[in-house]
PDB file of all heavy atoms in Angstrom:
ATOM      1  N   THR A   9     106.208 -22.998  18.655  1.00 51.00           N
ATOM      2  CA  THR A   9     107.089 -22.642  17.465  1.00 51.00           C
ATOM      3  C   THR A   9     106.721 -21.146  17.145  1.00 51.00           C
ATOM      4  O   THR A   9     105.735 -20.734  17.432  1.00 51.00           O
ATOM      5  CB  THR A   9     106.641 -23.514  16.280  1.00 51.00           C
ATOM      6  OG1 THR A   9     105.221 -23.183  15.950  1.00 51.00           O
ATOM      7  CG2 THR A   9     106.933 -25.018  16.443  1.00 51.00           C
ATOM      8  N   THR A  10     107.863 -20.522  16.678  1.00 59.00           N
ATOM      9  CA  THR A  10     107.815 -19.077  16.446  1.00 59.00           C
ATOM     10  C   THR A  10     106.647 -18.589  15.535  1.00 59.00           C
ATOM     11  O   THR A  10     105.894 -17.710  15.780  1.00 59.00           O
ATOM     12  CB  THR A  10     109.163 -18.599  15.954  1.00 59.00           C
ATOM     13  OG1 THR A  10     110.186 -19.053  16.754  1.00 59.00           O
ATOM     14  CG2 THR A  10     109.237 -17.084  15.841  1.00 59.00           C
ATOM     15  N   ASP A  11     106.483 -19.384  14.495  1.00 65.00           N
ATOM     16  CA  ASP A  11     105.469 -18.953  13.507  1.00 65.00           C
ATOM     17  C   ASP A  11     104.046 -19.107  14.142  1.00 65.00           C
ATOM     18  O   ASP A  11     103.233 -18.093  13.974  1.00 65.00           O
ATOM     19  CB  ASP A  11     105.437 -19.889  12.282  1.00 65.00           C
ATOM     20  CG  ASP A  11     106.754 -19.634  11.451  1.00 65.00           C
ATOM     21  OD1 ASP A  11     107.365 -18.584  11.571  1.00 65.00           O
ATOM     22  OD2 ASP A  11     107.057 -20.612  10.595  1.00 65.00           O
ATOM     23  N   THR A  12     103.734 -20.190  14.802  1.00 78.00           N
ATOM     24  CA  THR A  12     102.427 -20.383  15.381  1.00 78.00           C
ATOM     25  C   THR A  12     102.293 -19.217  16.541  1.00 78.00           C
ATOM     26  O   THR A  12     101.193 -18.599  16.595  1.00 78.00           O
ATOM     27  CB  THR A  12     102.292 -21.699  16.020  1.00 78.00           C
ATOM     28  OG1 THR A  12     102.530 -22.601  14.922  1.00 78.00           O
ATOM     29  CG2 THR A  12     100.948 -21.961  16.610  1.00 78.00           C
ATOM     30  N   SER A  13     103.195 -19.098  17.434  1.00 86.00           N
ATOM     31  CA  SER A  13     103.050 -18.203  18.511  1.00 86.00           C
ATOM     32  C   SER A  13     103.004 -16.744  18.034  1.00 86.00           C
ATOM     33  O   SER A  13     102.192 -15.878  18.532  1.00 86.00           O
ATOM     34  CB  SER A  13     104.138 -18.336  19.526  1.00 86.00           C
ATOM     35  OG  SER A  13     105.347 -18.107  19.063  1.00 86.00           O
ATOM     36  N   ASP A  14     103.708 -16.394  17.061  1.00 91.00           N
ATOM     37  CA  ASP A  14     103.613 -15.056  16.482  1.00 91.00           C
ATOM     38  C   ASP A  14     102.330 -14.812  15.794  1.00 91.00           C
ATOM     39  O   ASP A  14     101.660 -13.723  16.038  1.00 91.00           O
ATOM     40  CB  ASP A  14     104.720 -14.734  15.465  1.00 91.00           C
ATOM     41  CG  ASP A  14     106.034 -14.657  16.012  1.00 91.00           C
ATOM     42  OD1 ASP A  14     106.134 -14.464  17.289  1.00 91.00           O
ATOM     43  OD2 ASP A  14     107.101 -14.726  15.210  1.00 91.00           O
ATOM     44  N   ALA A  15     101.740 -15.721  15.178  1.00 94.00           N
ATOM     45  CA  ALA A  15     100.362 -15.658  14.499  1.00 94.00           C
ATOM     46  C   ALA A  15      99.334 -15.412  15.509  1.00 94.00           C
ATOM     47  O   ALA A  15      98.403 -14.612  15.424  1.00 94.00           O
ATOM     48  CB  ALA A  15     100.016 -16.820  13.597  1.00 94.00           C
ATOM     49  N   VAL A  16      99.407 -16.278  16.648  1.00 95.00           N
ATOM     50  CA  VAL A  16      98.407 -16.153  17.665  1.00 95.00           C
ATOM     51  C   VAL A  16      98.592 -14.796  18.388  1.00 95.00           C
ATOM     52  O   VAL A  16      97.479 -14.109  18.714  1.00 95.00           O
ATOM     53  CB  VAL A  16      98.551 -17.320  18.749  1.00 95.00           C
ATOM     54  CG1 VAL A  16      97.787 -17.140  19.959  1.00 95.00           C
ATOM     55  CG2 VAL A  16      98.277 -18.628  18.098  1.00 95.00           C
ATOM     56  N   LEU A  17      99.714 -14.345  18.662  1.00 96.00           N
ATOM     57  CA  LEU A  17     100.001 -13.049  19.359  1.00 96.00           C
ATOM     58  C   LEU A  17      99.415 -11.987  18.470  1.00 96.00           C
ATOM     59  O   LEU A  17      98.663 -11.160  19.093  1.00 96.00           O
ATOM     60  CB  LEU A  17     101.528 -12.953  19.449  1.00 96.00           C
ATOM     61  CG  LEU A  17     101.866 -11.566  20.192  1.00 96.00           C
ATOM     62  CD1 LEU A  17     101.521 -11.432  21.612  1.00 96.00           C
ATOM     63  CD2 LEU A  17     103.442 -11.343  19.950  1.00 96.00           C
ATOM     64  N   GLU A  18      99.615 -11.980  17.227  1.00 97.00           N
ATOM     65  CA  GLU A  18      99.026 -10.840  16.377  1.00 97.00           C
ATOM     66  C   GLU A  18      97.623 -10.934  16.239  1.00 97.00           C
ATOM     67  O   GLU A  18      96.944  -9.988  16.208  1.00 97.00           O
ATOM     68  CB  GLU A  18      99.767 -10.961  14.958  1.00 97.00           C
ATOM     69  CG  GLU A  18     101.090 -10.377  14.903  1.00 97.00           C
ATOM     70  CD  GLU A  18     101.316  -9.118  15.580  1.00 97.00           C
ATOM     71  OE1 GLU A  18     100.611  -8.121  15.240  1.00 97.00           O
ATOM     72  OE2 GLU A  18     102.225  -8.932  16.454  1.00 97.00           O
ATOM     73  N   HIS A  19      97.090 -12.122  16.145  1.00 97.00           N
ATOM     74  CA  HIS A  19      95.581 -12.307  16.152  1.00 97.00           C
ATOM     75  C   HIS A  19      94.892 -11.710  17.350  1.00 97.00           C
ATOM     76  O   HIS A  19      93.910 -10.983  17.315  1.00 97.00           O
ATOM     77  CB  HIS A  19      95.192 -13.730  15.955  1.00 97.00           C
ATOM     78  CG  HIS A  19      93.732 -14.070  15.880  1.00 97.00           C
ATOM     79  ND1 HIS A  19      92.924 -13.566  14.901  1.00 97.00           N
ATOM     80  CD2 HIS A  19      92.877 -14.629  16.845  1.00 97.00           C
ATOM     81  CE1 HIS A  19      91.732 -14.031  15.129  1.00 97.00           C
ATOM     82  NE2 HIS A  19      91.556 -14.601  16.295  1.00 97.00           N
ATOM     83  N   ILE A  20      95.332 -11.982  18.512  1.00 97.00           N
ATOM     84  CA  ILE A  20      94.861 -11.612  19.829  1.00 97.00           C
ATOM     85  C   ILE A  20      95.010 -10.047  19.835  1.00 97.00           C
ATOM     86  O   ILE A  20      94.184  -9.244  20.322  1.00 97.00           O
ATOM     87  CB  ILE A  20      95.375 -12.294  21.006  1.00 97.00           C
ATOM     88  CG1 ILE A  20      94.999 -13.870  20.930  1.00 97.00           C
ATOM     89  CG2 ILE A  20      94.974 -11.695  22.234  1.00 97.00           C
ATOM     90  CD1 ILE A  20      95.605 -14.761  21.924  1.00 97.00           C
ATOM     91  N   ARG A  21      96.300  -9.636  19.573  1.00 97.00           N
ATOM     92  CA  ARG A  21      96.573  -8.154  19.600  1.00 97.00           C
ATOM     93  C   ARG A  21      95.618  -7.352  18.806  1.00 97.00           C
ATOM     94  O   ARG A  21      95.108  -6.344  19.287  1.00 97.00           O
ATOM     95  CB  ARG A  21      97.998  -7.965  19.117  1.00 97.00           C
ATOM     96  CG  ARG A  21      98.417  -6.442  19.203  1.00 97.00           C
ATOM     97  CD  ARG A  21      99.644  -6.140  18.453  1.00 97.00           C
ATOM     98  NE  ARG A  21     100.730  -7.052  18.459  1.00 97.00           N
ATOM     99  CZ  ARG A  21     101.655  -7.266  19.490  1.00 97.00           C
ATOM    100  NH1 ARG A  21     101.679  -6.440  20.395  1.00 97.00           N
ATOM    101  NH2 ARG A  21     102.469  -8.132  19.334  1.00 97.00           N
ATOM    102  N   LEU A  22      95.384  -7.796  17.519  1.00 97.00           N
ATOM    103  CA  LEU A  22      94.492  -7.172  16.664  1.00 97.00           C
ATOM    104  C   LEU A  22      93.048  -7.065  17.179  1.00 97.00           C
ATOM    105  O   LEU A  22      92.199  -6.167  17.036  1.00 97.00           O
ATOM    106  CB  LEU A  22      94.448  -7.648  15.229  1.00 97.00           C
ATOM    107  CG  LEU A  22      95.734  -7.436  14.457  1.00 97.00           C
ATOM    108  CD1 LEU A  22      95.807  -8.211  13.164  1.00 97.00           C
ATOM    109  CD2 LEU A  22      96.044  -5.977  14.292  1.00 97.00           C
ATOM    110  N   ALA A  23      92.590  -8.184  17.916  1.00 97.00           N
ATOM    111  CA  ALA A  23      91.278  -8.286  18.439  1.00 97.00           C
ATOM    112  C   ALA A  23      91.134  -7.178  19.616  1.00 97.00           C
ATOM    113  O   ALA A  23      90.185  -6.514  19.688  1.00 97.00           O
ATOM    114  CB  ALA A  23      91.044  -9.668  18.929  1.00 97.00           C
ATOM    115  N   MET A  24      92.196  -7.159  20.360  1.00 97.00           N
ATOM    116  CA  MET A  24      92.217  -6.236  21.476  1.00 97.00           C
ATOM    117  C   MET A  24      92.219  -4.748  20.972  1.00 97.00           C
ATOM    118  O   MET A  24      91.416  -3.923  21.518  1.00 97.00           O
ATOM    119  CB  MET A  24      93.315  -6.445  22.459  1.00 97.00           C
ATOM    120  CG  MET A  24      93.228  -7.832  23.134  1.00 97.00           C
ATOM    121  SD  MET A  24      94.671  -8.237  24.204  1.00 97.00           S
ATOM    122  CE  MET A  24      94.175  -7.367  25.678  1.00 97.00           C
ATOM    123  N   LEU A  25      93.023  -4.543  19.977  1.00 96.00           N
ATOM    124  CA  LEU A  25      93.066  -3.113  19.482  1.00 96.00           C
ATOM    125  C   LEU A  25      91.829  -2.874  18.702  1.00 96.00           C
ATOM    126  O   LEU A  25      91.290  -1.591  18.838  1.00 96.00           O
ATOM    127  CB  LEU A  25      94.212  -3.082  18.573  1.00 96.00           C
ATOM    128  CG  LEU A  25      95.699  -3.066  19.208  1.00 96.00           C
ATOM    129  CD1 LEU A  25      96.635  -3.187  18.094  1.00 96.00           C
ATOM    130  CD2 LEU A  25      95.966  -2.027  20.124  1.00 96.00           C
ATOM    131  N   SER A  26      91.118  -3.723  18.113  1.00 95.00           N
ATOM    132  CA  SER A  26      89.892  -3.474  17.454  1.00 95.00           C
ATOM    133  C   SER A  26      88.785  -3.204  18.520  1.00 95.00           C
ATOM    134  O   SER A  26      87.945  -2.279  18.234  1.00 95.00           O
ATOM    135  CB  SER A  26      89.523  -4.729  16.654  1.00 95.00           C
ATOM    136  OG  SER A  26      88.221  -4.593  16.139  1.00 95.00           O
ATOM    137  N   ALA A  27      88.877  -3.855  19.617  1.00 96.00           N
ATOM    138  CA  ALA A  27      87.955  -3.671  20.667  1.00 96.00           C
ATOM    139  C   ALA A  27      88.021  -2.181  21.194  1.00 96.00           C
ATOM    140  O   ALA A  27      87.039  -1.518  21.499  1.00 96.00           O
ATOM    141  CB  ALA A  27      88.097  -4.637  21.811  1.00 96.00           C
ATOM    142  N   ILE A  28      89.269  -1.728  21.213  1.00 95.00           N
ATOM    143  CA  ILE A  28      89.440  -0.312  21.672  1.00 95.00           C
ATOM    144  C   ILE A  28      88.855   0.612  20.722  1.00 95.00           C
ATOM    145  O   ILE A  28      88.096   1.589  21.025  1.00 95.00           O
ATOM    146  CB  ILE A  28      91.007   0.034  21.912  1.00 95.00           C
ATOM    147  CG1 ILE A  28      91.491  -0.848  23.051  1.00 95.00           C
ATOM    148  CG2 ILE A  28      91.150   1.438  22.078  1.00 95.00           C
ATOM    149  CD1 ILE A  28      92.945  -0.615  23.153  1.00 95.00           C
ATOM    150  N   GLU A  29      89.053   0.417  19.380  1.00 92.00           N
ATOM    151  CA  GLU A  29      88.591   1.305  18.378  1.00 92.00           C
ATOM    152  C   GLU A  29      87.090   1.275  18.266  1.00 92.00           C
ATOM    153  O   GLU A  29      86.462   2.260  18.021  1.00 92.00           O
ATOM    154  CB  GLU A  29      89.222   0.759  16.948  1.00 92.00           C
ATOM    155  CG  GLU A  29      90.719   1.137  16.938  1.00 92.00           C
ATOM    156  CD  GLU A  29      91.265   0.599  15.615  1.00 92.00           C
ATOM    157  OE1 GLU A  29      90.587   0.118  14.797  1.00 92.00           O
ATOM    158  OE2 GLU A  29      92.580   0.611  15.600  1.00 92.00           O
ATOM    159  N   VAL A  30      86.401   0.090  18.527  1.00 93.00           N
ATOM    160  CA  VAL A  30      85.060  -0.070  18.362  1.00 93.00           C
ATOM    161  C   VAL A  30      84.249   0.505  19.701  1.00 93.00           C
ATOM    162  O   VAL A  30      83.237   1.058  19.481  1.00 93.00           O
ATOM    163  CB  VAL A  30      84.665  -1.545  18.097  1.00 93.00           C
ATOM    164  CG1 VAL A  30      83.111  -1.698  18.133  1.00 93.00           C
ATOM    165  CG2 VAL A  30      85.137  -1.892  16.795  1.00 93.00           C
ATOM    166  N   HIS A  31      84.806   0.193  20.807  1.00 93.00           N
ATOM    167  CA  HIS A  31      84.084   0.516  22.031  1.00 93.00           C
ATOM    168  C   HIS A  31      84.527   1.702  22.848  1.00 93.00           C
ATOM    169  O   HIS A  31      83.960   2.004  23.844  1.00 93.00           O
ATOM    170  CB  HIS A  31      84.106  -0.840  22.849  1.00 93.00           C
ATOM    171  CG  HIS A  31      83.380  -2.004  22.282  1.00 93.00           C
ATOM    172  ND1 HIS A  31      82.146  -2.038  22.099  1.00 93.00           N
ATOM    173  CD2 HIS A  31      83.894  -3.089  21.650  1.00 93.00           C
ATOM    174  CE1 HIS A  31      81.834  -3.193  21.434  1.00 93.00           C
ATOM    175  NE2 HIS A  31      82.928  -3.912  21.201  1.00 93.00           N
ATOM    176  N   CYS A  32      85.568   2.235  22.567  1.00 90.00           N
ATOM    177  CA  CYS A  32      86.058   3.428  23.317  1.00 90.00           C
ATOM    178  C   CYS A  32      85.893   4.685  22.472  1.00 90.00           C
ATOM    179  O   CYS A  32      86.143   4.670  21.252  1.00 90.00           O
ATOM    180  CB  CYS A  32      87.602   3.165  23.720  1.00 90.00           C
ATOM    181  SG  CYS A  32      87.892   1.874  24.771  1.00 90.00           S
ATOM    182  N   ASP A  33      85.387   5.736  23.203  1.00 80.00           N
ATOM    183  CA  ASP A  33      85.191   7.013  22.499  1.00 80.00           C
ATOM    184  C   ASP A  33      86.370   7.574  22.024  1.00 80.00           C
ATOM    185  O   ASP A  33      86.348   8.153  20.865  1.00 80.00           O
ATOM    186  CB  ASP A  33      84.569   7.982  23.465  1.00 80.00           C
ATOM    187  CG  ASP A  33      83.133   7.461  23.944  1.00 80.00           C
ATOM    188  OD1 ASP A  33      82.496   6.782  23.038  1.00 80.00           O
ATOM    189  OD2 ASP A  33      82.749   7.701  25.102  1.00 80.00           O
ATOM    190  N   THR A  34      87.477   7.540  22.659  1.00 75.00           N
ATOM    191  CA  THR A  34      88.810   7.972  22.190  1.00 75.00           C
ATOM    192  C   THR A  34      89.786   6.854  22.268  1.00 75.00           C
ATOM    193  O   THR A  34      89.568   5.954  22.934  1.00 75.00           O
ATOM    194  CB  THR A  34      89.341   9.228  22.939  1.00 75.00           C
ATOM    195  OG1 THR A  34      89.490   8.806  24.346  1.00 75.00           O
ATOM    196  CG2 THR A  34      88.260  10.337  22.833  1.00 75.00           C
ATOM    197  N   GLN A  35      90.819   6.901  21.467  1.00 71.00           N
ATOM    198  CA  GLN A  35      91.904   5.912  21.577  1.00 71.00           C
ATOM    199  C   GLN A  35      92.681   6.133  22.887  1.00 71.00           C
ATOM    200  O   GLN A  35      93.504   7.082  23.039  1.00 71.00           O
ATOM    201  CB  GLN A  35      92.777   6.017  20.273  1.00 71.00           C
ATOM    202  CG  GLN A  35      93.647   4.755  20.114  1.00 71.00           C
ATOM    203  CD  GLN A  35      94.472   4.921  18.952  1.00 71.00           C
ATOM    204  OE1 GLN A  35      95.030   5.967  18.632  1.00 71.00           O
ATOM    205  NE2 GLN A  35      94.454   3.824  18.261  1.00 71.00           N
ATOM    206  N   ASP A  36      92.437   5.363  23.903  1.00 73.00           N
ATOM    207  CA  ASP A  36      93.040   5.435  25.098  1.00 73.00           C
ATOM    208  C   ASP A  36      94.493   4.988  24.996  1.00 73.00           C
ATOM    209  O   ASP A  36      94.778   3.715  25.073  1.00 73.00           O
ATOM    210  CB  ASP A  36      92.263   4.558  26.184  1.00 73.00           C
ATOM    211  CG  ASP A  36      92.721   4.806  27.584  1.00 73.00           C
ATOM    212  OD1 ASP A  36      93.825   5.408  27.853  1.00 73.00           O
ATOM    213  OD2 ASP A  36      91.983   4.392  28.512  1.00 73.00           O
ATOM    214  N   ILE A  37      95.389   5.971  24.993  1.00 80.00           N
ATOM    215  CA  ILE A  37      96.885   5.590  24.779  1.00 80.00           C
ATOM    216  C   ILE A  37      97.415   4.830  25.958  1.00 80.00           C
ATOM    217  O   ILE A  37      98.216   3.865  25.737  1.00 80.00           O
ATOM    218  CB  ILE A  37      97.577   6.961  24.653  1.00 80.00           C
ATOM    219  CG1 ILE A  37      97.406   7.592  23.297  1.00 80.00           C
ATOM    220  CG2 ILE A  37      99.137   6.715  24.814  1.00 80.00           C
ATOM    221  CD1 ILE A  37      97.774   6.757  22.062  1.00 80.00           C
ATOM    222  N   ALA A  38      96.951   4.953  27.087  1.00 86.00           N
ATOM    223  CA  ALA A  38      97.365   4.191  28.331  1.00 86.00           C
ATOM    224  C   ALA A  38      97.075   2.632  28.120  1.00 86.00           C
ATOM    225  O   ALA A  38      97.793   1.802  28.631  1.00 86.00           O
ATOM    226  CB  ALA A  38      96.801   4.722  29.526  1.00 86.00           C
ATOM    227  N   VAL A  39      96.075   2.363  27.346  1.00 92.00           N
ATOM    228  CA  VAL A  39      95.733   0.976  27.104  1.00 92.00           C
ATOM    229  C   VAL A  39      96.283   0.590  25.727  1.00 92.00           C
ATOM    230  O   VAL A  39      96.812  -0.533  25.615  1.00 92.00           O
ATOM    231  CB  VAL A  39      94.223   0.735  27.165  1.00 92.00           C
ATOM    232  CG1 VAL A  39      93.829  -0.696  26.816  1.00 92.00           C
ATOM    233  CG2 VAL A  39      93.708   1.146  28.523  1.00 92.00           C
ATOM    234  N   TYR A  40      96.201   1.440  24.748  1.00 93.00           N
ATOM    235  CA  TYR A  40      96.542   1.157  23.387  1.00 93.00           C
ATOM    236  C   TYR A  40      97.992   0.782  23.260  1.00 93.00           C
ATOM    237  O   TYR A  40      98.410  -0.270  22.616  1.00 93.00           O
ATOM    238  CB  TYR A  40      96.177   2.286  22.481  1.00 93.00           C
ATOM    239  CG  TYR A  40      96.366   1.983  21.035  1.00 93.00           C
ATOM    240  CD1 TYR A  40      95.419   1.395  20.208  1.00 93.00           C
ATOM    241  CD2 TYR A  40      97.581   2.338  20.303  1.00 93.00           C
ATOM    242  CE1 TYR A  40      95.515   1.126  18.958  1.00 93.00           C
ATOM    243  CE2 TYR A  40      97.811   2.068  19.014  1.00 93.00           C
ATOM    244  CZ  TYR A  40      96.886   1.439  18.294  1.00 93.00           C
ATOM    245  OH  TYR A  40      97.030   1.174  17.042  1.00 93.00           O
ATOM    246  N   LYS A  41      98.842   1.541  23.686  1.00 93.00           N
ATOM    247  CA  LYS A  41     100.257   1.408  23.564  1.00 93.00           C
ATOM    248  C   LYS A  41     100.820   0.133  24.126  1.00 93.00           C
ATOM    249  O   LYS A  41     101.551  -0.673  23.381  1.00 93.00           O
ATOM    250  CB  LYS A  41     101.088   2.722  24.018  1.00 93.00           C
ATOM    251  CG  LYS A  41     101.031   3.747  23.052  1.00 93.00           C
ATOM    252  CD  LYS A  41     101.846   4.986  23.616  1.00 93.00           C
ATOM    253  CE  LYS A  41     103.310   4.764  23.432  1.00 93.00           C
ATOM    254  NZ  LYS A  41     104.104   5.874  23.729  1.00 93.00           N
ATOM    255  N   PRO A  42     100.516  -0.270  25.422  1.00 95.00           N
ATOM    256  CA  PRO A  42     101.086  -1.488  25.862  1.00 95.00           C
ATOM    257  C   PRO A  42     100.527  -2.732  25.053  1.00 95.00           C
ATOM    258  O   PRO A  42     101.200  -3.710  24.947  1.00 95.00           O
ATOM    259  CB  PRO A  42     100.510  -1.592  27.400  1.00 95.00           C
ATOM    260  CG  PRO A  42     100.252  -0.194  27.607  1.00 95.00           C
ATOM    261  CD  PRO A  42      99.791   0.556  26.380  1.00 95.00           C
ATOM    262  N   ILE A  43      99.269  -2.630  24.638  1.00 96.00           N
ATOM    263  CA  ILE A  43      98.830  -3.727  23.767  1.00 96.00           C
ATOM    264  C   ILE A  43      99.509  -3.855  22.404  1.00 96.00           C
ATOM    265  O   ILE A  43      99.923  -4.875  22.088  1.00 96.00           O
ATOM    266  CB  ILE A  43      97.258  -3.611  23.642  1.00 96.00           C
ATOM    267  CG1 ILE A  43      96.521  -3.904  24.962  1.00 96.00           C
ATOM    268  CG2 ILE A  43      96.728  -4.643  22.495  1.00 96.00           C
ATOM    269  CD1 ILE A  43      95.020  -3.459  24.864  1.00 96.00           C
ATOM    270  N   ARG A  44      99.667  -2.663  21.857  1.00 96.00           N
ATOM    271  CA  ARG A  44     100.340  -2.550  20.616  1.00 96.00           C
ATOM    272  C   ARG A  44     101.752  -3.112  20.644  1.00 96.00           C
ATOM    273  O   ARG A  44     102.143  -3.730  19.622  1.00 96.00           O
ATOM    274  CB  ARG A  44     100.234  -1.143  20.029  1.00 96.00           C
ATOM    275  CG  ARG A  44     101.072  -0.937  18.852  1.00 96.00           C
ATOM    276  CD  ARG A  44     100.302  -1.536  17.616  1.00 96.00           C
ATOM    277  NE  ARG A  44     101.043  -1.312  16.407  1.00 96.00           N
ATOM    278  CZ  ARG A  44     101.797  -2.225  15.819  1.00 96.00           C
ATOM    279  NH1 ARG A  44     101.939  -3.410  16.394  1.00 96.00           N
ATOM    280  NH2 ARG A  44     102.440  -1.976  14.715  1.00 96.00           N
ATOM    281  N   TYR A  45     102.512  -2.911  21.666  1.00 96.00           N
ATOM    282  CA  TYR A  45     103.892  -3.227  21.770  1.00 96.00           C
ATOM    283  C   TYR A  45     104.184  -4.430  22.710  1.00 96.00           C
ATOM    284  O   TYR A  45     105.406  -4.670  23.021  1.00 96.00           O
ATOM    285  CB  TYR A  45     104.721  -1.971  22.151  1.00 96.00           C
ATOM    286  CG  TYR A  45     104.649  -0.918  21.141  1.00 96.00           C
ATOM    287  CD1 TYR A  45     103.850   0.276  21.482  1.00 96.00           C
ATOM    288  CD2 TYR A  45     105.199  -1.077  19.877  1.00 96.00           C
ATOM    289  CE1 TYR A  45     103.809   1.220  20.488  1.00 96.00           C
ATOM    290  CE2 TYR A  45     105.104   0.050  18.923  1.00 96.00           C
ATOM    291  CZ  TYR A  45     104.328   1.008  19.191  1.00 96.00           C
ATOM    292  OH  TYR A  45     104.265   2.052  18.209  1.00 96.00           O
ATOM    293  N   ALA A  46     103.094  -5.175  23.052  1.00 96.00           N
ATOM    294  CA  ALA A  46     103.353  -6.283  23.867  1.00 96.00           C
ATOM    295  C   ALA A  46     104.220  -7.361  23.229  1.00 96.00           C
ATOM    296  O   ALA A  46     104.029  -7.639  21.955  1.00 96.00           O
ATOM    297  CB  ALA A  46     102.046  -6.962  24.344  1.00 96.00           C
ATOM    298  N   ARG A  47     105.114  -7.972  23.897  1.00 95.00           N
ATOM    299  CA  ARG A  47     106.102  -8.940  23.216  1.00 95.00           C
ATOM    300  C   ARG A  47     105.627 -10.411  23.310  1.00 95.00           C
ATOM    301  O   ARG A  47     106.111 -11.142  22.591  1.00 95.00           O
ATOM    302  CB  ARG A  47     107.442  -8.775  23.945  1.00 95.00           C
ATOM    303  CG  ARG A  47     107.992  -7.500  23.648  1.00 95.00           C
ATOM    304  CD  ARG A  47     109.434  -7.400  24.247  1.00 95.00           C
ATOM    305  NE  ARG A  47     110.088  -6.265  23.938  1.00 95.00           N
ATOM    306  CZ  ARG A  47     111.399  -6.137  23.918  1.00 95.00           C
ATOM    307  NH1 ARG A  47     112.167  -7.090  24.271  1.00 95.00           N
ATOM    308  NH2 ARG A  47     111.916  -4.931  23.593  1.00 95.00           N
ATOM    309  N   ASP A  48     104.637 -10.668  24.179  1.00 94.00           N
ATOM    310  CA  ASP A  48     104.271 -12.063  24.278  1.00 94.00           C
ATOM    311  C   ASP A  48     102.757 -12.167  24.836  1.00 94.00           C
ATOM    312  O   ASP A  48     102.208 -11.147  25.147  1.00 94.00           O
ATOM    313  CB  ASP A  48     105.106 -12.840  25.202  1.00 94.00           C
ATOM    314  CG  ASP A  48     105.325 -12.275  26.589  1.00 94.00           C
ATOM    315  OD1 ASP A  48     104.345 -11.574  27.123  1.00 94.00           O
ATOM    316  OD2 ASP A  48     106.261 -12.601  27.284  1.00 94.00           O
ATOM    317  N   LEU A  49     102.240 -13.364  24.794  1.00 95.00           N
ATOM    318  CA  LEU A  49     100.854 -13.661  25.052  1.00 95.00           C
ATOM    319  C   LEU A  49     100.547 -13.238  26.644  1.00 95.00           C
ATOM    320  O   LEU A  49      99.555 -12.710  26.930  1.00 95.00           O
ATOM    321  CB  LEU A  49     100.378 -15.034  24.927  1.00 95.00           C
ATOM    322  CG  LEU A  49     100.236 -15.363  23.410  1.00 95.00           C
ATOM    323  CD1 LEU A  49     100.022 -16.982  23.359  1.00 95.00           C
ATOM    324  CD2 LEU A  49      99.114 -14.607  22.798  1.00 95.00           C
TER     325      LEU A  49
END
């Protein structure tokens, strides 16, 4: 269902973006942008 899959997608996306912010010295755009704009799981 759209609501469930959208919530899961956003939860995982935020976890991945958070990992970049916490563990990478600089915000690696080559990794950050594709994660930020991914359309599905």
Side-chain angles (χ1 to χ4, degrees):
T9 63
T10 305
D11 293 339
T12 303
S13 60
D14 285 348
V16 169
L17 177 68
E18 285 308 309
H19 177 70
I20 295 172
R21 180 193 326 274
L22 291 175
M24 293 174 84
L25 293 174
S26 176
I28 292 170
E29 291 173 9
V30 170
H31 298 289
C32 294
D33 294 329
T34 60
Q35 193 178 45
D36 189 346
I37 288 297
V39 177
Y40 185 88
K41 283 181 77 174
I43 291 171
R44 176 70 183 100
Y45 297 108
R47 293 183 175 205
D48 57 27
L49 286 176

